[in-house]
Amino acid sequence: MSREGVGLFAGFRVLGRFSGHVPHVLRYHGRHREFYVATAVGRSVHTYNVKKLGIVSVSNALPQDITCLAADRMLIFASYDNILHAFARNKEVVHTYEGHKARIHLLQPFGDHVISVDVDNVLIVWNIQSEEEYLQVDFDKATFVISALLHPSTYLNKILLGSEQGSLQLWNIRSNKLLYSFPGWGFTVTSLAQAPAVDVVAVGLVSGHIIVHNIKFDETLMKFQQDWGPITAISFRTDGHPVMAAGSPVGHIALWDLEDKKLMCQMQDAHSTAIAGMSFVPGEPLLITNGADNALRVWIFDGPGGTGRVLRSRMGHSAPPTKIRYHGQNGEQILSAGQDGTLQSFSTVHDRFNKSLGRGSINKKKSKKKGLKLDTMALPPITAFASEVAHQSDWDGIIACHQGYITCTTWNYQKTSMGAHKLRPEEFSKCKPIDICATAVDITSCGNFAVIGMSAGQVDVYNMQSGIHRGRYGKEKAHEGAIRGVAVDGLNQLVITAGSEGLIKFWKFKTKELVYSTELSSSPSAILLHRDSGILGIAFDDFSISVLDVETRKIVRTFLGHHGRINDMTFSPDGRWLITSSMDCTIKTWDLPSG
């Protein structure tokens, strides 16, 4: 059945994953004369150019997810748990620094050295080349828990540490001396940023205050406050406009005018989660942000009022995908429906061809007025969809059904938006029953008709162009139980339906009459038809899989081996392999000719 250790498939690359909760780092490449942004994506580092947000390189994977990221001129530093690695050429690990006992949570490159701080409050200074510890300092947790660190520019060998207790300390790392203690403001320091002016540092607090402070004379220059919780990131504009940006845990960004010492404007919902990283590109009116909502955005400040607009962005699902399917025959687009309620298309060729078809909505106009946060019109996530390219430039080519929802929606790939029709049976148009929902959909290979199965056993046909109801299979119902799957053959001759009572029925597509009914050993959970070869894969509730030949209507193969619910199935293009994925965390490949 499955030979251990013989891999038919190898991981190729990640699609649709751009950012996590780890702040990005911005680097300048002197020889290329261009800026690059690096993000931690799972276990590897992705590098993009700022010019086009095109992916430049993907690093080799580390053993675990990256939790901390930093970079200097030559190397990218990434840590997981208590081990720190350095990547060269954005690709391979060239240095490994081991010595921490606990998880590293702060990194700061520092000339020929790199400083790391772990959650046990131990600070280690490493020599980058020799990988040796230059210095280790243990701080007392009762009086000074390090929560932020910064190397103030022009301060040779010195670092500024912020603490959870609220005080700050300036240390000389070379001589291992505490030079000065700042009493602080009584709140945990969450972020530190160097201002364009020497000696001036911005201190972000857990209370939402930002203090712009001169550390040479220990005096506060200005003080701002945001009402959105702790300050997650701070960055300064350096292209001639005295502006400071500050991020928040709810996804808003505030822009402060440092000349007039007042709020200039705010960018609400820049991300749907906390702003993880934020940096202005030196000398340019560009701001780069990333967040755990899987989005990386470049904002440009060229309009009146000082507010920014999105110049370029890369984003994927902000919640796990529920179903993915290739769109079209060339294998270049993958349609993906996610738990965040969106339908997106990912290109296997290049990220620039990715597009989002948006999220489902009962009423698009009302949703637009309310905005994302207050949207009561949002539809539940898509559970199943079917797409066809045949007539997609003329009308909608995608049909989708939503979790626990009776109405099916159409989507337009060309216009990258939700389509014109909401399909549901006539008798439910006035009163919506609570317990009936659409469970299975298919679209004919010509793109003209959609077949929809209901949880109460009805199977209906609709016209995709007009949305008109074109008939129903069976007198009242096609099946006694809920519909678990519908499929139309390649020539619009047969419709195959599977019901939870354990029957598979074959109907004539046009006349809607029953041709044949076959009883199964147990209740099916899903069916999948390979149109070219006329074989039907059936997944059962008892975790077995059967293959049925549509010509002879007999079960020709049965496979046992999964120990969990079967989530999805697909046939290889030639119909010789059936590949199944299951809740037992395995993907199994079954060879049909040999069984």
Side-chain angles (χ1 to χ4, degrees):
M1 232 165 24
S2 69
R3 297 187 297 263
E4 290 301 317
V6 179
L8 290 171
F9 303 101
F12 180 50
R13 66 196 183 98
V14 177
L15 287 182
R17 184 88 196 272
F18 301 102
S19 164
H21 61 89
V22 182
H24 68 262
V25 290
L26 185 66
R27 328 174 53 199
Y28 180 69
H29 195 295
R31 221 177 50 238
H32 295 177
R33 299 219 173 133
E34 100 172 281
F35 286 98
Y36 292 99
V37 57
T39 60
V41 174
R43 301 188 303 181
S44 55
V45 179
H46 288 196
T47 309
Y48 301 87
N49 53 18
V50 172
K51 215 162 46 186
K52 290 186 172 172
L53 273 193
I55 190 148
V56 180
S57 75
V58 177
S59 77
N60 299 338
L62 295 179
Q64 291 176 37
D65 282 359
I66 295 169
T67 52
C68 211
L69 198 65
D72 65 7
R73 209 168 51 86
M74 300 300 288
L75 302 168
I76 293 182
F77 298 96
S79 75
Y80 66 89
D81 202 26
N82 61 341
I83 297 172
L84 173 62
H85 293 286
F87 288 100
R89 293 174 287 284
N90 302 333
K91 188 74 184 166
E92 67 265 5
V93 172
V94 287
H95 297 300
T96 303
Y97 308 92
E98 297 184 58
H100 280 288
K101 304 279 189 292
R103 183 174 65 82
I104 297 169
H105 74 129
L106 295 171
L107 288 177
Q108 172 73 52
F110 192 73
D112 299 333
H113 298 83
V114 60
I115 301 167
S116 57
V117 182
D118 65 26
V119 289
D120 277 354
N121 226 17
V122 177
L123 178 145
I124 300 182
V125 182
W126 306 90
N127 185 319
I128 290 177
Q129 288 308 318
S130 70
E131 300 180 17
E132 288 165 4
E133 280 187 28
Y134 174 78
L135 173 70
Q136 177 170 336
V137 190
D138 295 15
F139 287 85
D140 182 16
K141 275 195 168 176
T143 55
F144 199 87
V145 178
I146 303 172
S147 60
L149 91 155
L150 171 78
H151 162 54
S153 69
T154 73
Y155 279 55
L156 198 65
N157 301 328
K158 295 175 191 65
I159 56 164
L160 182 67
L161 303 173
S163 72
E164 283 182 19
Q165 282 78 4
S167 56
L168 293 95
Q169 295 182 359
L170 186 66
W171 281 76
N172 185 324
I173 288 300
R174 188 147 186 200
S175 61
N176 189 13
K177 279 192 184 126
L178 172 60
L179 302 177
Y180 193 82
S181 279
F182 301 89
W185 295 270
F187 291 106
T188 297
V189 176
T190 54
S191 61
L192 290 168
Q194 171 69 46
V198 180
D199 304 323
V200 179
V201 166
V203 183
L205 304 180
V206 75
S207 59
H209 286 88
I210 308 153
I211 287 99
V212 181
H213 198 75
N214 186 320
I215 54 173
K216 187 174 180 182
F217 302 116
D218 190 8
E219 61 182 14
T220 297
L221 304 177
M222 42 194 114
K223 199 170 179 182
F224 303 116
Q225 188 185 2
Q226 293 179 192
D227 308 336
W228 304 314
I231 305 296
T232 57
I234 302 175
S235 186
F236 287 88
R237 246 177 107 166
T238 54
D239 62 335
H241 293 262
V243 174
M244 174 181 71
S248 68
V250 287
H252 308 326
I253 297 173
L255 295 159
W256 300 91
D257 188 327
L258 300 174
E259 224 157 49
D260 301 345
K261 302 190 181 180
K262 66 177 186 4
L263 180 68
M264 195 164 83
C265 62
Q266 41 191 345
M267 292 152 60
Q268 301 260 349
D269 299 312
H271 287 271
S272 59
T273 58
I275 307 283
M278 186 165 65
S279 43
F280 276 104
V281 179
E284 292 185 43
L286 298 176
L287 176 69
I288 302 170
T289 61
N290 78 306
D293 58 351
N294 195 12
L296 175 68
R297 296 195 171 99
V298 178
W299 309 78
I300 185 164
F301 295 84
D302 55 358
T307 179
R309 63 182 173 90
V310 177
L311 180 64
R312 280 180 286 272
S313 71
R314 292 270 178 263
M315 51 191 286
H317 288 296
S318 54
T322 51
K323 190 178 178 84
I324 55 172
R325 283 286 177 270
Y326 275 108
H327 182 60
Q329 295 298 313
N330 58 7
E332 286 178 7
Q333 283 101 18
I334 297 175
L335 278 175
S336 163
Q339 282 173 15
D340 54 0
T342 61
L343 183 66
Q344 307 207 6
S345 164
F346 296 110
S347 164
T348 56
V349 182
H350 195 280
D351 285 339
R352 68 168 176 268
F353 303 122
N354 290 359
K355 44 192 188 179
S356 170
L357 282 77
R359 58 195 315 156
S361 164
I362 301 167
N363 185 326
K364 259 301 197 257
K365 265 201 180 113
K366 283 185 183 165
S367 292
K368 278 223 165 102
K369 277 184 185 159
K370 291 211 169 144
L372 279 178
K373 284 269 163 38
L374 306 160
D375 193 1
T376 50
M377 295 280 167
L379 284 172
I382 293 171
T383 49
F385 65 86
S387 75
E388 191 54 62
V389 290
H391 273 295
Q392 69 169 6
S393 51
D394 305 329
W395 53 77
D396 304 337
I398 303 168
I399 172 93
C401 64
H402 299 260
Q403 192 176 327
Y405 202 71
I406 190 163
T407 307
C408 286
T409 52
T410 62
W411 298 72
N412 194 315
Y413 190 81
Q414 234 55 20
K415 294 179 185 165
T416 66
S417 71
M418 210 169 133
H421 305 300
K422 307 267 194 295
L423 308 178
R424 70 159 165 242
E426 289 284 305
E427 66 259 33
F428 303 133
S429 57
K430 296 280 181 287
C431 58
K432 272 192 203 169
I434 300 169
D435 51 349
I436 301 179
C437 62
T439 52
V441 290
D442 199 13
I443 187 169
T444 56
S445 57
C446 57
N448 282 304
F449 298 100
V451 182
I452 298 172
M454 296 288 192
S455 61
Q458 301 95 332
V459 175
D460 298 282
V461 186
Y462 298 87
N463 187 302
M464 281 300 277
Q465 185 182 4
S466 61
I468 297 172
H469 185 251
R470 289 283 186 223
R472 171 171 284 179
Y473 293 95
K475 275 203 173 71
E476 280 295 310
K477 296 177 171 184
H479 288 267
E480 286 308 305
I483 304 293
R484 292 289 169 83
V486 294
V488 188
D489 73 348
L491 300 169
N492 293 8
Q493 300 293 315
L494 283 178
V495 171
I496 305 163
T497 60
S500 60
E501 79 281 0
L503 289 175
I504 282 206
K505 294 185 179 179
F506 295 81
W507 312 81
K508 280 208 171 134
F509 179 79
K510 246 188 164 144
T511 60
K512 319 273 189 289
E513 64 194 63
L514 183 64
V515 184
Y516 185 74
S517 172
T518 177
E519 195 157 338
L520 300 169
S521 55
S522 79
S523 166
S525 63
I527 64 169
L528 172 73
L529 176 69
H530 188 258
R531 280 178 176 163
D532 298 345
S533 60
I535 47 177
L536 184 77
I538 308 165
F540 292 97
D541 284 344
D542 63 2
F543 317 144
S544 64
I545 301 145
S546 289
V547 178
L548 183 138
D549 185 0
V550 177
E551 286 278 299
T552 61
R553 298 172 194 146
K554 297 275 191 297
I555 286 188
V556 290
R557 295 277 186 275
T558 299
F559 301 117
L560 307 164
H562 278 298
H563 307 299
R565 193 171 69 89
I566 292 158
N567 293 330
D568 211 350
M569 310 184 278
T570 183
F571 284 101
S572 63
D574 58 3
R576 292 175 71 87
W577 286 354
L578 174 63
I579 301 158
T580 55
S581 70
S582 156
M583 291 288 262
D584 61 15
C585 300
T586 60
I587 294 177
K588 293 191 192 298
T589 305
W590 313 90
D591 187 47
L592 297 185
S594 70

